[in-house]
PDB file of all heavy atoms in Angstrom:
ATOM      1  N   GLY V  70      -5.815  13.289 -87.774  1.00  0.00           N
ATOM      2  CA  GLY V  70      -5.189  13.002 -86.601  1.00  0.00           C
ATOM      3  C   GLY V  70      -3.842  13.315 -86.564  1.00  0.00           C
ATOM      4  O   GLY V  70      -3.234  13.831 -87.573  1.00  0.00           O
ATOM      5  N   GLY V  71      -3.070  12.953 -85.531  1.00  0.00           N
ATOM      6  CA  GLY V  71      -1.620  13.247 -85.333  1.00  0.00           C
ATOM      7  C   GLY V  71      -0.924  12.364 -86.254  1.00  0.00           C
ATOM      8  O   GLY V  71       0.035  12.859 -86.902  1.00  0.00           O
ATOM      9  N   SER V  72      -1.275  11.058 -86.483  1.00  0.00           N
ATOM     10  CA  SER V  72      -0.495  10.217 -87.373  1.00  0.00           C
ATOM     11  C   SER V  72      -0.421  10.863 -88.730  1.00  0.00           C
ATOM     12  O   SER V  72       0.682  10.828 -89.452  1.00  0.00           O
ATOM     13  CB  SER V  72      -1.005   8.806 -87.312  1.00  0.00           C
ATOM     14  OG  SER V  72      -0.966   8.159 -86.086  1.00  0.00           O
ATOM     15  N   ASN V  75       1.675  13.934 -89.062  1.00  0.00           N
ATOM     16  CA  ASN V  75       3.165  13.541 -89.030  1.00  0.00           C
ATOM     17  C   ASN V  75       3.642  13.012 -90.411  1.00  0.00           C
ATOM     18  O   ASN V  75       4.728  13.412 -90.887  1.00  0.00           O
ATOM     19  CB  ASN V  75       3.535  12.506 -87.975  1.00  0.00           C
ATOM     20  CG  ASN V  75       3.582  13.169 -86.630  1.00  0.00           C
ATOM     21  OD1 ASN V  75       3.817  14.345 -86.445  1.00  0.00           O
ATOM     22  ND2 ASN V  75       3.377  12.362 -85.539  1.00  0.00           N
ATOM     23  N   HIS V 101       7.281   8.965 -81.767  1.00  0.00           N
ATOM     24  CA  HIS V 101       6.009   8.211 -82.032  1.00  0.00           C
ATOM     25  C   HIS V 101       6.310   7.371 -83.327  1.00  0.00           C
ATOM     26  O   HIS V 101       6.919   7.977 -84.228  1.00  0.00           O
ATOM     27  CB  HIS V 101       4.891   9.124 -82.009  1.00  0.00           C
ATOM     28  CG  HIS V 101       3.553   8.269 -82.091  1.00  0.00           C
ATOM     29  ND1 HIS V 101       2.949   7.996 -83.303  1.00  0.00           N
ATOM     30  CD2 HIS V 101       2.798   7.759 -81.148  1.00  0.00           C
ATOM     31  CE1 HIS V 101       1.878   7.339 -83.020  1.00  0.00           C
ATOM     32  NE2 HIS V 101       1.809   7.206 -81.712  1.00  0.00           N
ATOM     33  N   SER V 103       4.531   7.028 -85.718  1.00  0.00           N
ATOM     34  CA  SER V 103       4.041   7.730 -86.986  1.00  0.00           C
ATOM     35  C   SER V 103       5.180   8.695 -87.513  1.00  0.00           C
ATOM     36  O   SER V 103       5.137   9.165 -88.583  1.00  0.00           O
ATOM     37  CB  SER V 103       2.755   8.491 -86.727  1.00  0.00           C
ATOM     38  OG  SER V 103       2.950   9.388 -85.592  1.00  0.00           O
ATOM     39  N   MET V 148      10.025  15.502 -81.138  1.00  0.00           N
ATOM     40  CA  MET V 148       8.744  15.833 -80.448  1.00  0.00           C
ATOM     41  C   MET V 148       8.953  16.853 -79.360  1.00  0.00           C
ATOM     42  O   MET V 148      10.107  17.058 -78.884  1.00  0.00           O
ATOM     43  CB  MET V 148       8.154  14.481 -79.967  1.00  0.00           C
ATOM     44  CG  MET V 148       8.989  13.926 -78.829  1.00  0.00           C
ATOM     45  SD  MET V 148       8.681  12.054 -78.473  1.00  0.00           S
ATOM     46  CE  MET V 148       7.133  11.747 -78.967  1.00  0.00           C
ATOM     47  N   ASN V 152       5.310  10.830 -75.158  1.00  0.00           N
ATOM     48  CA  ASN V 152       4.008  10.255 -74.741  1.00  0.00           C
ATOM     49  C   ASN V 152       4.137   9.374 -73.551  1.00  0.00           C
ATOM     50  O   ASN V 152       3.246   9.107 -72.758  1.00  0.00           O
ATOM     51  CB  ASN V 152       3.263   9.482 -75.829  1.00  0.00           C
ATOM     52  CG  ASN V 152       4.308   8.753 -76.700  1.00  0.00           C
ATOM     53  OD1 ASN V 152       5.282   9.273 -77.207  1.00  0.00           O
ATOM     54  ND2 ASN V 152       4.011   7.572 -77.031  1.00  0.00           N
ATOM     55  N   ASP V 177       6.554  17.136 -83.391  1.00  0.00           N
ATOM     56  CA  ASP V 177       5.309  16.525 -83.012  1.00  0.00           C
ATOM     57  C   ASP V 177       4.917  17.007 -81.650  1.00  0.00           C
ATOM     58  O   ASP V 177       5.551  16.531 -80.659  1.00  0.00           O
ATOM     59  CB  ASP V 177       5.599  14.930 -83.084  1.00  0.00           C
ATOM     60  CG  ASP V 177       4.403  14.128 -82.576  1.00  0.00           C
ATOM     61  OD1 ASP V 177       3.389  14.649 -82.139  1.00  0.00           O
ATOM     62  OD2 ASP V 177       4.475  12.845 -82.648  1.00  0.00           O
ATOM     63  N   VAL V 179       1.878  16.635 -80.401  1.00  0.00           N
ATOM     64  CA  VAL V 179       0.634  16.033 -80.042  1.00  0.00           C
ATOM     65  C   VAL V 179       0.330  15.971 -78.464  1.00  0.00           C
ATOM     66  O   VAL V 179      -0.698  16.296 -77.964  1.00  0.00           O
ATOM     67  CB  VAL V 179       0.488  14.574 -80.669  1.00  0.00           C
ATOM     68  CG1 VAL V 179      -0.545  13.644 -79.971  1.00  0.00           C
ATOM     69  CG2 VAL V 179       0.302  14.632 -82.066  1.00  0.00           C
ATOM     70  N   GLN V 180       1.428  15.518 -77.752  1.00  0.00           N
ATOM     71  CA  GLN V 180       1.301  15.306 -76.331  1.00  0.00           C
ATOM     72  C   GLN V 180       1.297  16.698 -75.485  1.00  0.00           C
ATOM     73  O   GLN V 180       0.950  16.680 -74.385  1.00  0.00           O
ATOM     74  CB  GLN V 180       2.189  14.317 -75.734  1.00  0.00           C
ATOM     75  CG  GLN V 180       2.036  12.968 -76.192  1.00  0.00           C
ATOM     76  CD  GLN V 180       0.802  12.309 -75.523  1.00  0.00           C
ATOM     77  OE1 GLN V 180       0.239  12.801 -74.582  1.00  0.00           O
ATOM     78  NE2 GLN V 180       0.347  11.223 -76.124  1.00  0.00           N
ATOM     79  N   SER V 200      -3.237  16.870 -82.227  1.00  0.00           N
ATOM     80  CA  SER V 200      -4.277  15.885 -82.464  1.00  0.00           C
ATOM     81  C   SER V 200      -5.403  16.226 -81.446  1.00  0.00           C
ATOM     82  O   SER V 200      -5.143  16.550 -80.208  1.00  0.00           O
ATOM     83  CB  SER V 200      -3.788  14.545 -82.186  1.00  0.00           C
ATOM     84  OG  SER V 200      -4.763  13.513 -82.061  1.00  0.00           O
ATOM     85  N   HIS V 202      -7.949  14.239 -80.138  1.00  0.00           N
ATOM     86  CA  HIS V 202      -8.294  13.317 -79.132  1.00  0.00           C
ATOM     87  C   HIS V 202      -7.428  13.240 -77.899  1.00  0.00           C
ATOM     88  O   HIS V 202      -7.787  12.582 -77.006  1.00  0.00           O
ATOM     89  CB  HIS V 202      -8.551  11.900 -79.775  1.00  0.00           C
ATOM     90  CG  HIS V 202      -7.430  11.060 -79.988  1.00  0.00           C
ATOM     91  ND1 HIS V 202      -6.999  10.129 -79.088  1.00  0.00           N
ATOM     92  CD2 HIS V 202      -6.512  11.014 -80.909  1.00  0.00           C
ATOM     93  CE1 HIS V 202      -5.974   9.549 -79.540  1.00  0.00           C
ATOM     94  NE2 HIS V 202      -5.730  10.050 -80.694  1.00  0.00           N
ATOM     95  N   LYS V 203      -6.229  13.965 -78.037  1.00  0.00           N
ATOM     96  CA  LYS V 203      -5.376  13.982 -76.782  1.00  0.00           C
ATOM     97  C   LYS V 203      -5.815  15.238 -76.017  1.00  0.00           C
ATOM     98  O   LYS V 203      -5.109  15.491 -75.025  1.00  0.00           O
ATOM     99  CB  LYS V 203      -3.917  14.056 -77.194  1.00  0.00           C
ATOM    100  CG  LYS V 203      -3.460  13.020 -78.198  1.00  0.00           C
ATOM    101  CD  LYS V 203      -3.279  11.633 -77.482  1.00  0.00           C
ATOM    102  CE  LYS V 203      -2.704  10.735 -78.485  1.00  0.00           C
ATOM    103  NZ  LYS V 203      -2.533   9.413 -77.924  1.00  0.00           N
ATOM    104  N   CYS V 325      -0.939   2.751 -78.445  1.00  0.00           N
ATOM    105  CA  CYS V 325      -0.936   2.281 -79.809  1.00  0.00           C
ATOM    106  C   CYS V 325      -0.128   0.987 -79.925  1.00  0.00           C
ATOM    107  O   CYS V 325      -0.213   0.273 -80.799  1.00  0.00           O
ATOM    108  CB  CYS V 325      -0.249   3.394 -80.797  1.00  0.00           C
ATOM    109  SG  CYS V 325       0.109   4.921 -80.054  1.00  0.00           S
TER     110      CYS V 325
HETATM  111  C1  LIG F   1       3.416  11.840 -79.568  1.00  0.00           C
HETATM  112  C2  LIG F   1       2.451  11.351 -80.360  1.00  0.00           C
HETATM  113  N1  LIG F   1       2.388  11.605 -81.743  1.00  0.00           N
HETATM  114  C3  LIG F   1       1.455  11.215 -82.537  1.00  0.00           C
HETATM  115  C4  LIG F   1       0.351  10.400 -82.009  1.00  0.00           C
HETATM  116  C5  LIG F   1      -0.676   9.895 -83.005  1.00  0.00           C
HETATM  117  O1  LIG F   1      -1.840  10.762 -82.952  1.00  0.00           O
HETATM  118  P1  LIG F   1      -3.252  10.111 -83.458  1.00  0.00           P
HETATM  119  O2  LIG F   1      -3.707   9.064 -82.427  1.00  0.00           O
HETATM  120  O3  LIG F   1      -4.114  11.322 -83.419  1.00  0.00           O
HETATM  121  O4  LIG F   1      -2.969   9.528 -84.793  1.00  0.00           O
HETATM  122  C6  LIG F   1       0.392   9.990 -80.712  1.00  0.00           C
HETATM  123  C7  LIG F   1      -0.716   9.194 -80.211  1.00  0.00           C
HETATM  124  O5  LIG F   1      -0.525   8.483 -79.250  1.00  0.00           O
HETATM  125  C8  LIG F   1       1.430  10.609 -79.823  1.00  0.00           C
HETATM  126  O6  LIG F   1       1.371  10.219 -78.593  1.00  0.00           O
END
Side-chain angles (χ1 to χ4, degrees):
S72 299
N75 281 338
H101 187 264
S103 56
M148 65 201 334
N152 39 312
D177 175 352
V179 163
Q180 288 293 341
S200 173
H202 78 97
K203 308 283 184 185
C325 355

